[in-house]
Amino acid sequence: VLKMAALLAVFDNYATPVVNLSHIAYAFYIELKCADLILENIESGKVGSDDSARENRIKTIINCYKLDKNPDGKDGVTKEMVQDSVITYAYIRNRAKRSSCFSDHRDGANKSIAHTLKNMVDCGDLKQIQAFDLSNNYGYSGILYKILN
């Protein structure tokens, strides 16, 4: 904080810099914002490479999915699926495979995504919809998950 406050004082008056209370307050504000940003990235799964980071990344993808009221039809997603809290494996995979917590995994992105989804099913966050239910309700033949939490 003091180094940042000193830099702010130099920006205000480079000839004779003097640190005052406003410099310290602003430097403290910047430090808090940076800490919040780091915590937000950790919680969303953008930072980290362990199981919890991968699970947090999938949860972030699911939360964004639930907010999408007008899906574009990519990855087999329809409005009915979003309304019924049903998500396709393809939707999750295509968004998760770009994240470093999946792409840098020693088994590769696809296996780490499948493993994370299996863990989420085991924990009760998701439920895989059986194949015989798929074509009747949504006309989709791939893997679907019901979002429970």
Side-chain angles (χ1 to χ4, degrees), residues 18-138:
V18 176
V19 175
N20 60 36
L21 187 60
S22 65
H23 296 129
I24 294 172
Y26 192 69
F28 190 70
Y29 171 78
I30 290 172
E31 290 291 325
L32 286 177
K33 285 305 233 183
C34 289
D36 286 344
L37 183 61
I38 290 170
L39 287 175
E40 182 181 313
N41 285 335
I42 290 170
E43 290 170 357
S44 69
K46 292 179 182 176
V47 174
S49 61
D50 59 351
D51 288 340
S52 64
R54 287 187 285 277
E55 188 171 320
N56 287 337
R57 186 66 188 137
I58 296 286
K59 286 180 179 179
T60 300
I61 290 168
I62 290 171
N63 287 337
C64 291
Y65 174 82
K66 291 193 290 189
L67 296 174
D68 188 7
K69 301 301 178 197
N70 295 311
D72 54 11
K74 288 184 180 175
D75 305 317
V77 175
T78 64
K79 285 184 183 181
E80 293 79 21
M81 288 179 179
V82 176
Q83 290 169 352
D84 295 343
S85 294
V86 173
I87 190 168
T88 66
Y89 173 78
Y91 183 93
I92 295 171
R93 187 199 65 222
N94 289 338
R95 282 147 187 84
K97 68 182 179 182
R98 292 177 253 163
S99 298
S100 62
C101 59
F102 292 105
S103 63
D104 294 344
H105 192 269
R106 69 178 182 271
D107 292 333
N110 287 335
K111 282 188 178 181
S112 62
I113 291 167
H115 183 262
T116 304
L117 289 171
K118 183 186 178 314
N119 285 344
M120 292 179 75
V121 168
D122 292 345
C123 291
D125 295 322
L126 298 172
K127 178 182 178 190
Q128 187 170 345
I129 298 177
Q130 299 301 319
F132 61 85
D133 294 337
L134 300 181
S135 60
N136 295 341
N137 295 338
Y138 305 108

